[in-house]
Amino acid sequence: MSDRPSSSIPRKVLIQLAALIAVSCLVVYCGESYRDQLDKFFPESRLLASTYNRKPSGLSGLYDLSQRMGLKVDRFEVSYRQLRRLTGMLVIIAPVQSLPDYELKQILDWVKKGNTLVYLDQFNIDQSRQILEALDLNVRNTVKELDGADLPVAGEALSEREDPVYDLVGKVRVSARSRLTGGTPIVADSQGAVLTRVEHGRGRVYVGATPALCSNGTLADQEFWGNFQLLENIFRTANGTIYFDERAHGYSSGTNVFYYLSRSEAAPVAAQIGLIILLMVFSESQRFGNARSLEERRKISNLEFINGLTNAYKRARANTAVLDILFQSFRNRLSRDLGVSPHESSERLAEAWEASALQSSEDLGKLLADYERLMEARHVSDDDLRTIVTACDKITTTSEGK
């Protein structure tokens, strides 16, 4: 009867794995859908003008609207040093923290090369006004607060209406606590501009004091559609991709090592190495036939132990220690056979040997003298060790025979 497993077993395993994957995907999908529906009934824990946020304060609607209008949009989540590789427009709305000086300089240097920046914030603290100082703008905080007020666009003259920024925009509904002075006003009232434009090098900067200009909470209200039209008109003036800055909201993405290898010249080498490792792991996990338990017991005989111990002493050059151990064992056994104490002197042991019936042709006195001489010299050669051990064996054999 063959030990080969049935071919139906792997098929059952594959079916079970496929069912497990399908159920897992369904559970994850249901969990995400349930969470999205549940979030609609809870207020926002904090206001976040991010394209990832689908709550009223988020900008996910503006991001999706820009995509549907055919604009090329993307999210920016890396260091501002990477801007020198990009061309287009950077949109920063309500950053979580004010930009430090070196990052602001990197952004404005990028704008000077012909790019565009859209910067919307409240400017209610000194740290947030550094960009205003760099662009020769001023902020006025002692003004009437606007809360959903309808303001006409500033371009009423025919020459200004020819600017594509004002296309299809009659009025905008804004909320603002401050006003801006300087630049070219786009949305303004008698106390100052809510949104203004500044030429910076070969590029442009749109600065606004109304960060909630196009939030998700106003997307469904027709009265706010002018806000979205105005910002979409500004987006259309970009000479490249429109990047929504998510780094300013705390999101960051580093370069993945696998992505880096796939885009570099080492990609084919890395792919081959990965394939080799995969084949090695797959091959190691294979087996043929049924698994069997092998029991291998180590057999150690007395002779193997003796040979191993002898080899260890030989490597250590311990002939003197070997001779001392073997001769003491021989002397104790001989003393017992002769009926004398093992602690007696060599002369007393030799006399007992001469007077006993165990006496043979071996000279015990000479053997004892040779042993004591070698012990005093502390040097025992292989020949000396072999000679004394042979003599001891002969005497022991004689004693056992009688």
Side-chain angles (χ1 to χ4, degrees):
M1 192 171 182
S2 176
D3 293 336
R4 187 176 181 179
S6 176
S7 59
S8 62
I9 296 179
R11 184 178 179 181
K12 292 181 179 179
V13 172
L14 291 177
I15 294 176
Q16 293 175 1
L17 288 177
L20 178 61
I21 294 174
V23 172
S24 300
C25 294
L26 182 61
V27 170
V28 172
Y29 176 77
C30 294
E32 291 293 331
S33 300
Y34 174 77
R35 188 180 64 179
D36 292 341
Q37 294 297 324
L38 190 63
D39 287 343
K40 296 180 181 179
F41 297 95
F42 291 95
E44 293 185 83
S45 59
R46 65 188 182 99
L47 301 180
L48 183 62
S50 168
T51 58
Y52 291 113
N53 184 16
R54 298 188 177 275
K55 292 283 188 171
S57 67
L59 296 177
S60 58
L62 179 62
Y63 187 84
D64 295 340
L65 180 62
S66 302
Q67 285 183 320
R68 296 186 181 185
M69 293 184 65
L71 299 176
K72 187 178 181 181
V73 297
D74 198 359
R75 293 181 174 93
F76 185 85
E77 300 178 358
V78 294
S79 174
Y80 295 114
R81 294 192 304 269
Q82 306 297 329
L83 283 173
R84 60 177 181 269
R85 304 178 181 177
L86 308 176
T87 302
M89 176 182 292
L90 181 65
V91 181
I92 303 177
I93 300 179
V96 177
Q97 294 181 346
S98 301
L99 298 176
D101 294 338
Y102 70 94
E103 290 186 342
L104 180 60
K105 183 178 183 303
Q106 291 172 351
I107 296 174
L108 294 180
D109 289 343
W110 177 72
V111 173
K112 285 183 179 179
K113 298 178 181 179
N115 300 290
T116 308
L117 171 65
V118 177
Y119 194 97
L120 306 180
D121 199 6
Q122 292 183 354
F123 306 109
N124 53 358
I125 57 176
D126 293 339
Q127 290 82 355
S128 63
R129 302 172 186 170
Q130 295 178 354
I131 187 173
L132 303 180
E133 298 175 0
L135 299 174
D136 294 329
L137 298 176
N138 296 313
V139 60
R140 298 175 60 187
N141 291 320
T142 57
V143 294
K144 179 182 178 181
E145 181 177 347
L146 299 177
D147 186 11
D150 292 333
L151 298 180
V153 293
E156 295 294 341
L158 180 61
S159 60
E160 293 179 343
R161 294 296 298 178
E162 293 176 354
D163 192 331
V165 172
Y166 305 110
D167 289 347
L168 305 176
V169 183
K171 64 178 181 178
V172 293
R173 176 167 290 188
V174 297
S175 299
R177 297 180 180 179
S178 58
R179 306 291 192 279
L180 302 175
T181 59
T184 303
I186 297 178
V187 179
D189 61 2
S190 60
Q191 295 182 326
V194 178
L195 179 65
T196 187
R197 179 176 61 201
V198 178
E199 303 294 331
H200 190 68
R202 292 184 295 166
R204 288 180 175 180
V205 180
Y206 292 87
V207 183
T210 172
L213 183 65
C214 295
S215 61
N216 291 344
T218 62
L219 183 59
D221 193 344
Q222 188 174 356
E223 297 295 332
F224 289 89
W225 286 1
N227 300 11
F228 290 89
Q229 183 64 58
L230 175 62
L231 209 52
E232 293 295 340
N233 290 343
I234 294 176
F235 289 169
R236 289 186 179 277
T237 63
N239 58 351
T241 305
I242 302 166
Y243 296 97
F244 285 82
D245 187 3
E246 292 299 336
R247 189 174 187 272
H249 299 141
Y251 295 95
S252 177
S253 62
T255 302
N256 187 276
V257 61
F258 298 104
Y259 176 81
Y260 173 79
L261 289 176
S262 65
R263 299 296 296 270
S264 65
E265 296 179 355
V269 178
Q272 293 178 13
I273 294 176
L275 180 60
I276 292 173
I277 295 176
L278 181 63
L279 291 176
M280 291 173 58
V281 174
F282 180 76
S283 300
E284 286 292 332
S285 63
Q286 299 302 304
R287 69 167 183 256
F288 302 92
N290 295 330
R292 295 183 178 180
S293 178
L294 300 179
E295 185 177 358
E296 182 179 356
R297 297 180 179 178
R298 184 180 177 185
K299 298 179 181 180
I300 302 178
S301 63
N302 294 334
L303 183 60
E304 290 179 353
F305 175 76
I306 294 173
N307 291 336
L309 186 61
T310 303
N311 185 54
Y313 278 109
K314 186 175 182 181
R315 288 177 177 271
R317 297 180 180 179
N319 289 348
T320 304
V322 173
L323 178 60
D324 190 20
I325 295 172
L326 295 178
F327 196 85
Q328 290 299 328
S329 176
F330 161 75
R331 180 167 181 163
N332 292 338
R333 183 171 182 176
L334 183 61
S335 299
R336 184 186 66 235
D337 294 340
L338 295 176
V340 297
S341 173
H343 303 290
E344 294 289 344
S345 62
S346 298
E347 291 80 4
R348 178 72 184 87
L349 184 61
E351 292 176 359
W353 168 259
E354 294 293 339
S356 68
L358 301 177
Q359 182 182 7
S360 63
S361 59
E362 297 296 330
D363 189 353
L364 181 61
K366 181 178 182 303
L367 180 61
L368 295 173
D370 292 341
Y371 164 75
E372 293 177 355
R373 175 178 56 81
L374 293 174
M375 289 295 103
E376 292 178 0
R378 307 301 300 173
H379 176 71
V380 180
S381 64
D382 294 342
D383 294 337
D384 294 335
L385 178 61
R386 191 179 300 108
T387 301
I388 293 182
V389 170
T390 301
C392 292
D393 291 341
K394 290 181 179 180
I395 294 176
T396 302
T397 302
T398 302
S399 301
E400 291 176 351
K402 296 182 180 182

